[in-house]
Amino acid sequence: MTTLAQQHSTPSQSHTAWMATELSVINELNQRHVKQVMDYSKGFLDKTFPLQQGSHKDVCSYVVYYQQLLAFFADGSTSGLQTPPQFVALSGHREAPCSIVLNNNGRHVELILNRSGINGCQDKASIDDIQLQTSEPDCVWFSMVTGRQVSCAHKGNKQFTCKDGLPYSLA
């Protein structure tokens, strides 16, 4: 890969071509960074919400079947969670959820699934973000992908459904 300084010093490139090259290099670096963060975040899922078989890193899609979360893999195999009660809710449709809510020792983790999202379009399971509920008293969430806080007001706009079909609150 050519460095930014080497590309910038090429006098024959027009300014527009140089800018396009710079943006391409930056975009490539950002994509690599997001992939590294996503791999780390899926490692967190493997430790905190392990599957009976396989890794969250290899999941191609998540589906809710009756009251169970199923992870589908590229070879057609499936796996549930080692601890099925950790799956507590979803938003969207069971066959194509918009998000999955998991719970570990009273703390929620939301997997936001969006095949059209900035990160979701690059992830084989369509995970756009993984957000953790913090211990802050003001209902603060943290995005593992962006590294930023997410306000609780954002969560209040979503409708979650408990795995038994009743409404679910993240409070």
Side-chain angles (χ1 to χ4, degrees):
M1 176 164 61
T2 308
T3 66
L4 297 177
Q6 290 169 329
Q7 292 172 359
H8 182 66
S9 64
T10 306
S12 63
Q13 280 187 315
S14 72
H15 181 70
T16 304
W18 171 80
M19 185 69 84
T21 302
E22 295 295 310
L23 291 173
S24 175
V25 170
I26 290 169
N27 188 41
E28 183 181 330
L29 291 171
N30 284 338
Q31 287 176 352
R32 275 197 235 150
H33 174 73
V34 168
K35 183 176 178 352
Q36 288 174 335
V37 170
M38 196 64 80
D39 284 347
Y40 176 84
S41 299
K42 288 181 180 184
F44 162 80
L45 292 175
D46 285 337
K47 291 176 191 168
T48 311
F49 305 101
L51 297 170
Q52 289 173 338
Q53 299 172 342
S55 168
H56 288 279
K57 293 177 184 178
D58 300 321
V59 172
C60 291
S61 66
Y62 293 96
V63 171
V64 177
Y65 183 71
Y66 289 94
Q67 294 186 17
Q68 303 297 317
L69 177 65
L70 289 180
F72 282 79
F73 299 96
D75 66 0
S77 65
T78 62
S79 178
L81 293 171
Q82 272 185 14
T83 310
Q86 288 182 308
F87 165 63
V88 294
L90 72 141
S91 67
H93 197 272
R94 291 176 174 271
E95 284 90 29
C98 297
S99 65
I100 300 290
V101 180
L102 306 171
N103 189 310
N104 184 47
N105 298 324
R107 292 274 159 68
H108 292 102
V109 173
E110 182 182 9
L111 280 64
I112 299 171
L113 308 170
N114 182 357
R115 191 163 299 285
S116 305
I118 293 171
N119 303 315
C121 68
Q122 298 175 44
D123 184 69
K124 60 182 152 189
S126 302
I127 296 177
D128 203 39
D129 199 1
I130 299 171
Q131 296 181 356
L132 311 172
Q133 185 180 33
T134 68
S135 59
E136 300 289 323
D138 297 334
C139 184
V140 176
W141 287 68
F142 176 79
S143 167
M144 291 187 78
V145 176
T146 66
R148 296 190 175 115
Q149 286 186 351
V150 179
S151 77
C152 207
H154 171 70
K155 299 288 180 199
N157 296 337
K158 281 189 174 178
Q159 300 289 324
F160 293 97
T161 304
C162 188
K163 58 186 172 181
D164 65 6
L166 297 173
Y168 188 84
S169 173
L170 292 176

